[in-house]
Amino acid sequence: MSKYSKVAHYQDFSELESILESSNNNYDMDKIRKAYKFAEKSHGDQRRESGIPYILHPTSVACIVAELGMDTDSICSALLHDVVEDTPVTFQEVEKLFGQDVANLIDGVTKISKIPYSTREQQQAENIRKMLIAMANDIRVIIIKLADRLHNMRTMDCMPEQHCRDKSHENMQVFAPIAHRLGIKTIKDELEDRSLQYLDPIGYKEIEDTLLLTEEGRDKFVESIKKNLLDKTEGMIPNVYISGRVKSINSIYRKTFMQGRTLEQIYDVFAVRVIVDTVRDCYNVLGIVHDIFKPIPNRFKDYISMPKPNMYQSLHTTVLDKNAIPFEVQIRTWEMHYTAEYGIAAHWKYKLGMGSDKTGGDRLTENIQKVKKMIMDQLEAEDVTDIAKNIRNDFAENDVYVFSPKGDVFNLPQGSTPIDMAYLIHTQVGHRMIGAKISGKIVPIDYKLKTGDICEIITQKDEHPNKAWIDICKTASAKSKIRQWYKHEKRDENIVEGKQMLEREFKRNGINLNEYEYEEFFRKMLLKKQYGTIDDFYAAVGYGGVQLWKIMPRLKEEYQKTYAADIEKIEVPQAPVKRNKATSGVVIEGTDDVLVKFSNCCNPLPGDDIIGYITRGYGVSIHKRSCTNVPKDILKSEEPERWVNCYWEDGVGEAFRSTLQITAIDRTGLLADVTIKLSNMHIFIHSLNSRETGDGKAVVTATIDVMGKNHLRGVLSKLSDINGIEEIKRV
Ligand code: MN
């Protein structure tokens, strides 16, 4: 017999009553009965696809919700979950009759039922999950919705095949993962297994048959393990409860069909579950298990000290029996067991007092009272709404999830407007937007989007964005796209302005070209750049996309190479000698093609810590970080944006000027010794002079060329060999 038979399964109100009666919870039975009567009357003659009276669907959903141990309002809402959607009953009526809580729960379920799940993409599934959680202000809404989905799966077989497969896909991608996140294993497993039946009936059957064939052997195996364990714990650990457990068909399916393993290769196809009273007992049982059976290395997991995000706690270990058959042992307390099966729903269960539980049988009922008090005490500190809030935060952060009318979900930051949505869909949709509708109604353009909104962007050909939108929209990308459009749109003005700016700068730099040369010059330059025409280039200069101070050095260099050998004359007096961009050996952060010169105030050398200063029109001048002309705190300096980070290129091969101050005991021939030493090292000397200091010492100042910091270090060491030298300083 199939574990999850496809034969439609319905539960009527009397079954709901018996579930509620057999539980220890305090339910408001009058309210629940009233909700049932109201639902029955409202659905009237309505029937399910299969011809079954409609009311049996809500009563069945209410049974699932009741079995999870949920509260009176959840059960009433389950009974009434389809009345607002499918009958003439209004939200206000429900609110009047059953209170705001029930009305809000029903409203929440109705809202998330309207979400169109059109897409199959992984990313979209993730967004839809997040959106569902974000939309449900109350986590009970999700639990009722899960029960609704589950019951629809239990009664799916009369529906067309495509419908079944679509719903099954949604379950796999959206609802089962949510159930997993909420820790409601019972619903997760059944949703997945029932969905798999429709998605791969043959694969499902194969696993199911294998499990059935091996069932008897498995039962015997579990019995022998059980006996062994009970013998060893006897008198040491009280109330040890042991059961065998088979993995869900879907999880076996994932490990066999999708990971290419055989049933025998999966250690935890079945497991032995040990439930005890206290956490300490858990670890004691673990010790005994490892004593009797040989543990498989690296298969022990302590989810007690490190619970899973969905609150799951247990000790897991895989061991070998005497015939070397591997099996998993799960060890947990009763509290952990309830949380493992019912997840967040277990917390309502505890709040109300424990319900009956079929999986544990009589032994379980025995334990209920004992465990109940313990759990009640523990949970007093922990408010279920806090847990729910954490889960919601986990899922939704601060984003909003908005639908397009086609059903695609868009993820936007809180505070986004339809403008942001339009630009997220497509730049052209943004540019042509003239308005927006939310759920069919026109909204102002600065409307703040909410999760679950279905937002339709109204566009018109030949329309263009409004500049005021830049301040209205939220996302940086929408803002920049609007700006971009304006740059493009104001092209004519930009061209005129760019041309004028360039002409001015040419004049200032002494670049003189006749019309033919001018065109030729730019044709050559533009080949290397992304600009198709000279007008494109002007426009870029005009709106600031190209900054003249960045490109002028390059243009000048090009001009010099091509037309004027004597450009040097026009350059500013402090212009660097021999050092241009190509050989400077300095990388300027964020720019290239920039003229680099070395400041005369500190003569930086390769290896020195340096910084660049963007001069007005003459490239970047490089200073030592320690130079007195570099502000101590650049951010607080007058023009912080002019200071740029720069680094030495590897393997700089150019000579650098360096000034040394040599202090020595004054003697005849000192200057000559210095000169000879430097000459022997083939050092080029720019200047050399000496002065007496009056205390029998002399200071020699030498300005020389060195090939970098290491070279300088060598020079200094050679110089210090000279007789009477006391100190050599770089200045
Ligand atoms: Mn329903």
Side-chain angles (χ1 to χ4, degrees), residues 215-249:
E215 193 173 18
E216 201 182 323
R218 222 168 33 237
D219 283 351
K220 272 190 192 142
F221 183 78
V222 171
E223 274 313 307
S224 75
I225 302 290
K226 203 166 157 177
K227 191 174 174 301
N228 208 339
L229 262 175
L230 283 175
D231 283 352
K232 291 288 193 303
T233 53
E234 170 115 61
M236 289 174 68
I237 301 166
N239 304 321
V240 179
Y241 175 84
I242 299 172
S243 70
R245 156 250 173 216
V246 178
K247 227 179 164 55
S248 79
I249 291 186

Side-chain angles (χ1 to χ4, degrees), residues 320-333:
L320 300 172
D321 83 334
K322 58 180 188 300
N323 299 316
I325 297 172
F327 63 100
E328 193 185 52
V329 183
Q330 301 173 346
I331 308 162
R332 53 174 72 152
T333 64

Side-chain angles (χ1 to χ4, degrees), residues 48 54 57-58 61 78 81-82 86 109 113 145 148-149 151-152:
R48 299 274 283 176
Y54 197 92
H57 166 63
V61 174
H81 81 268
D82 279 331
D86 294 344
V109 176
S113 303
K145 184 67 202 169
D148 183 33
R149 294 290 301 199
H151 186 251
N152 284 335

